[in-house]
């Protein structure tokens, strides 16, 4: 009897361990079934993918990067999300490293509603009806300044080099923003520089360095500093202008005579993505017209979808300084395409920031 009781106890123990193992394996499987999304701060909001979350409650886990150079470095080093959200100018670099798999446009329900100017970007096509990126958002980089503290400035990027505002200006800590502007002011093609031209850009950046309070991608801190008057001008994206105007802060998003920068970003699928079906569901949810409308109204960024703009009044778009057709914007701005010397410019920029 003792042996029998011991056997029963042993059986129950084994059964308990098996149940525990099953529970643990289910938990691991559940975690593995979550879409892993690598994106910019603010783009992880559930409002952008409501239909996805209806079908897959708690089905996405977002990881935030500082900028897409930071994202590229992390993915290249081994971080493996399912979907990432870089900008178009970095697409060729991701592809060159073999990090991506093509996305089948037949599985993208609103592909035909994406503006042709974005669907037809060079380097996007992967052949056989597939693409390397699904464009989702676009916008501008410019100077956001306090109209009560900077009176009637010349509409020029030179404002961020104005010595009278030394210590009260900030710029974006990203190779595809500040160095591009320095190149424009130095009379150099930002996207293809000779070594001598890069030296000119470096010198322009050195002129600016002692005038700045910071190089940053933390737009929340920049907005707070502009609202308090600690900063009078900063390089920002549309969202900062939209946010501060809603708060009643007297700011203007400049249209520099040299041209605003215009960028486009979107979704790429990583080569080793474990949740491909979820990735397609997520992209399709993000391409709902309501998602694009929320992007426009909340951040002042453009959607890649004409159907999203159809839901926003002309009056509201005018306040956001956003045309309903991106081609109108691109006629007067500088589109940030790939930089042939991206790595060299990045090294130069780091050296200048460090005092070199």
């Amino acid at each position: 009897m003792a042996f029998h009781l011991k056997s029963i106890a042993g059986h129950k123990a084994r059964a308990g361990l098996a149940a525990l193992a099953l529970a643990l394996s289910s938990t691991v499987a559940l975690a593995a079934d979550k879409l892993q999304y690598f994106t910019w701060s603010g783009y992880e909001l559930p409002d952008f993918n409501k239909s996805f979350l209806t079908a897959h409650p708690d089905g996405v886990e977002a990881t935030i990067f500082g900028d897409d150079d930071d994202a590229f470095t992390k993915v290249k080093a081994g971080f493996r999300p399912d979907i990432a959200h870089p900008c178009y100018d970095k697409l060729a670099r991701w592809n060159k490293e073999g990090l991506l798999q093509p996305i089948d446009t037949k599985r993208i329900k609103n592909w035909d509603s994406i503006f042709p100017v974005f669907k037809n970007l060079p380097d996007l096509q992967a052949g056989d009806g597939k693409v390397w990126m699904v464009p989702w958002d676009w916008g501008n980089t410019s100077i956001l300044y306090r109209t009560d503290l900077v009176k009637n400035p010349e509409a020029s990027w030179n404002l961020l080099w104005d010595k009278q505002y030394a210590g009260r200006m900030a710029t974006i800590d990203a190779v595809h923003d500040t160095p591009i502007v320095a190149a424009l002011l130095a009379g150099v093609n930002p996207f293809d520089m000779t070594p001598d031209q890069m030296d000119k850009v470096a010198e322009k950046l050195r002129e600016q360095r002692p005038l700045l309070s910071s190089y940053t991608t933390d737009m929340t801190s920049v907005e707070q500093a502009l609202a308090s008057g600690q900063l009078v001008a900063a390089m920002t994206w549309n969202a900062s202008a939209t946010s501060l105007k809603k708060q009643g802060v007297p700011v203007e998003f400049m249209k520099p005579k040299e041209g605003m920068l215009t960028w486009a970003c979107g979704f790429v699928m990583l080569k080793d993505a474990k949740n491909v079906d979820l990735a397609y569901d997520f992209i399709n949810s993000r391409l709902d017209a309501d998602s694009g409308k929320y992007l426009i109204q909340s951040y002042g960024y453009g959607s890649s979808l004409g159907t999203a703009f159809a839901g926003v009044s002309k009056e509201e778009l005018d306040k956001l300084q956003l045309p309903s057709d991106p081609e109108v914007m691109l006629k007067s701005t500088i589109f940030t395409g790939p930089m042939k010397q991206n790595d060299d410019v990045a090294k130069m920029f780091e050296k200048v920031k460090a005092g070199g």
Side-chain angles (χ1 to χ4, degrees):
M1 178 66 72
F3 175 78
H4 178 66
L5 289 174
K6 188 175 180 181
S7 298
I8 292 173
H11 176 72
K12 286 184 176 178
R14 286 193 296 274
L17 287 171
L20 178 61
L22 180 62
L24 287 172
S25 65
S26 299
T27 302
V28 171
L30 185 62
D33 287 340
K34 272 194 177 186
L35 181 78
Q36 300 299 312
Y37 174 42
F38 198 25
T39 190
W40 306 81
S41 177
Y43 278 7
E44 75 283 9
L45 301 184
D47 302 84
F48 290 132
N49 40 261
K50 288 182 177 179
S51 61
F52 176 86
L53 291 174
T54 298
H56 310 284
D58 197 31
V60 59
E61 184 173 318
T63 303
I64 306 302
F65 54 69
D67 64 24
D68 46 7
D69 283 318
D70 170 48
F72 174 76
T73 300
K74 289 179 180 175
V75 171
K76 188 178 174 183
F79 179 59
R80 289 291 181 267
D82 297 305
I83 285 183
H85 194 154
C87 290
Y88 163 71
D89 60 294
K90 300 297 191 301
L91 181 61
R93 296 181 74 209
W94 288 61
N95 227 341
K96 185 179 178 181
E97 291 294 328
L99 299 173
L100 307 179
Q101 64 172 288
I103 297 172
D104 188 351
T105 59
K106 296 185 188 70
R107 297 186 65 179
I108 304 300
K109 66 179 183 181
N110 281 332
W111 177 254
D112 290 339
S113 297
I114 295 176
F115 288 110
V117 70
F118 298 127
K119 287 196 296 186
N120 298 327
L121 285 170
D123 299 325
L124 210 71
Q125 301 302 318
D128 195 29
K130 297 179 180 179
V131 292
W132 296 112
M133 172 184 279
V134 175
W136 186 67
D137 56 311
W138 58 275
N140 300 111
T141 304
S142 189
I143 300 172
L144 186 63
Y145 67 95
R146 285 282 298 263
T147 55
D148 56 334
L149 301 176
V150 181
K151 301 288 188 180
N152 302 314
E154 178 188 16
S156 171
W157 283 108
N158 280 309
L159 176 59
L160 294 181
W161 275 258
D162 193 329
K163 293 179 181 178
Q164 67 177 309
Y165 302 116
R168 303 183 71 190
M169 300 183 292
T171 195
I172 294 177
D173 186 8
V175 68
H176 49 275
D177 288 300
T178 300
I180 286 179
V181 170
L184 292 174
L185 295 177
V188 171
N189 177 359
F191 308 108
D192 190 7
M193 305 182 207
T194 66
D196 286 345
Q197 289 173 331
M198 200 174 301
D199 288 342
K200 286 185 180 179
V201 176
E203 187 54 40
K204 193 68 182 173
L205 289 167
R206 288 188 194 99
E207 288 176 20
Q208 186 190 41
R209 185 183 59 222
L211 308 177
L212 298 173
S213 69
S214 66
Y215 298 93
T216 183
T217 56
D218 181 359
M219 291 297 113
T220 299
S221 296
V222 168
E223 290 164 22
Q224 290 170 349
L226 282 166
S228 70
Q230 180 183 349
L231 290 178
V232 300
M235 181 187 288
T236 72
W237 302 303
N238 312 59
S240 294
T242 301
S243 175
L244 289 181
K245 285 182 178 181
K246 285 179 178 178
Q247 296 173 42
V249 180
V251 292
E252 187 63 32
F253 199 49
M254 183 185 283
K255 293 183 178 179
K257 62 184 182 182
E258 301 87 3
M260 288 181 174
L261 307 185
T262 296
W263 42 263
C265 307
F267 305 116
V268 297
M269 198 180 304
L270 276 294
K271 182 179 67 175
D272 301 322
K274 293 180 174 60
N275 297 293
V276 171
D277 290 338
L278 282 178
Y280 278 106
D281 287 353
F282 181 82
I283 293 171
N284 281 324
S285 179
R286 289 270 169 144
L287 288 175
D288 286 339
D290 284 348
S291 172
K293 179 181 176 182
Y294 185 79
L295 176 71
I296 294 167
Q297 293 179 320
S298 298
Y299 288 165
Y301 292 145
S303 167
S304 65
L305 297 169
T307 51
F309 277 94
V312 184
S313 70
K314 184 179 183 303
E315 181 184 11
E316 190 169 1
L317 291 174
D318 287 346
K319 286 181 181 178
L320 294 170
Q321 296 178 275
L322 196 64
S324 58
D325 182 350
E327 294 202 49
V328 173
M329 179 69 76
L330 291 170
K331 288 176 182 177
S332 61
T333 61
I334 309 296
F335 185 68
T336 53
M339 299 173 74
K340 288 187 178 180
Q341 295 79 28
N342 187 94
D343 291 347
D344 291 334
V345 175
K347 290 174 185 173
M348 174 269 287
F349 188 35
E350 290 301 316
K351 183 178 178 180
V352 169
K353 288 188 296 179

